[in-house]
């Protein structure tokens, strides 16, 4: 053996741990977690989105606002009050002036609740937003 100092047989113990397979497994798990995290958050908030025949996918969104049929508002999957929504939106706009928001509202949500959420987003500096819908089949 090349690392053998005494000229003894090849039954030396392996004293080093190969961490490469461990790092590979951890990185794969991290990627899986990152990809599924957004789907988990959306599945946790039960909303029935309205349908539209000509809706499209929105890209480049930073803020995800959900209005439930009970009038509760969620930002990024966490229940927020109006003051928190405005404060966190202003923080995002301060970091990136091109901040976009997607408003997902339950079809049974009151129109006033949805308009109020959009008004708060606009007042906090969001110039671009979209309303999340499902395509009709």
């Amino acid at each position: 053996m090349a690392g053998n100092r005494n000229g003894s047989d090849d039954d030396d113990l392996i004293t080093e741990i190969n961490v490469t397979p461990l790092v590979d497994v951890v990185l794969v798990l991290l990627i899986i977690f990152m990809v599924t995290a957004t789907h988990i958050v959306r599945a946790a908030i039960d909303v029935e989105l309205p349908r539209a025949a000509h809706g499209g996918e929105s890209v480049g969104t930073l803020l995800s606002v959900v209005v439930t049929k009970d009038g509760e508002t969620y930002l990024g999957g966490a229940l927020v009050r109006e003051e928190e929504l405005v404060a966190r939106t202003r923080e995002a706009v301060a970091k990136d002036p091109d901040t976009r928001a997607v408003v997902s509202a339950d079809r049974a949500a009151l129109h006033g609740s949805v308009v109020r959420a959009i008004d708060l987003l606009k007042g906090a500096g969001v110039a671009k937003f979209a309303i999340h819908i499902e395509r009709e089949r």
Side-chain angles (χ1 to χ4, degrees), residues 88-108:
R88 289 177 55 186
T89 303
R90 284 190 178 142
E91 288 175 12
V93 170
K95 290 178 185 174
D96 179 16
D98 196 31
T99 299
R100 298 177 184 182
V102 173
V103 178
S104 302
D106 192 292
R107 86 171 65 193

Side-chain angles (χ1 to χ4, degrees), residues 3 10 17 41 47 58 75-77 121 135:
D10 292 337
I17 297 174
V41 170
V47 257
S58 59
L75 178 62
L121 291 170
R135 284 184 160 234

Side-chain angles (χ1 to χ4, degrees), residues 59-121:
V59 294
T61 60
L62 180 64
L63 300 175
S64 175
V65 179
V66 177
V67 179
T68 64
K69 62 183 173 184
D70 300 326
E72 296 175 330
T73 304
Y74 291 81
L75 178 62
L79 180 64
V80 293
R81 295 185 319 270
E82 289 183 354
E83 304 83 35
E84 290 178 275
L85 177 65
V86 171
R88 289 177 55 186
T89 303
R90 284 190 178 142
E91 288 175 12
V93 170
K95 290 178 185 174
D96 179 16
D98 196 31
T99 299
R100 298 177 184 182
V102 173
V103 178
S104 302
D106 192 292
R107 86 171 65 193
L110 294 176
H111 180 71
S113 300
V114 179
V115 171
R116 178 71 179 155
I118 293 172
D119 187 48
L120 291 172
L121 291 170

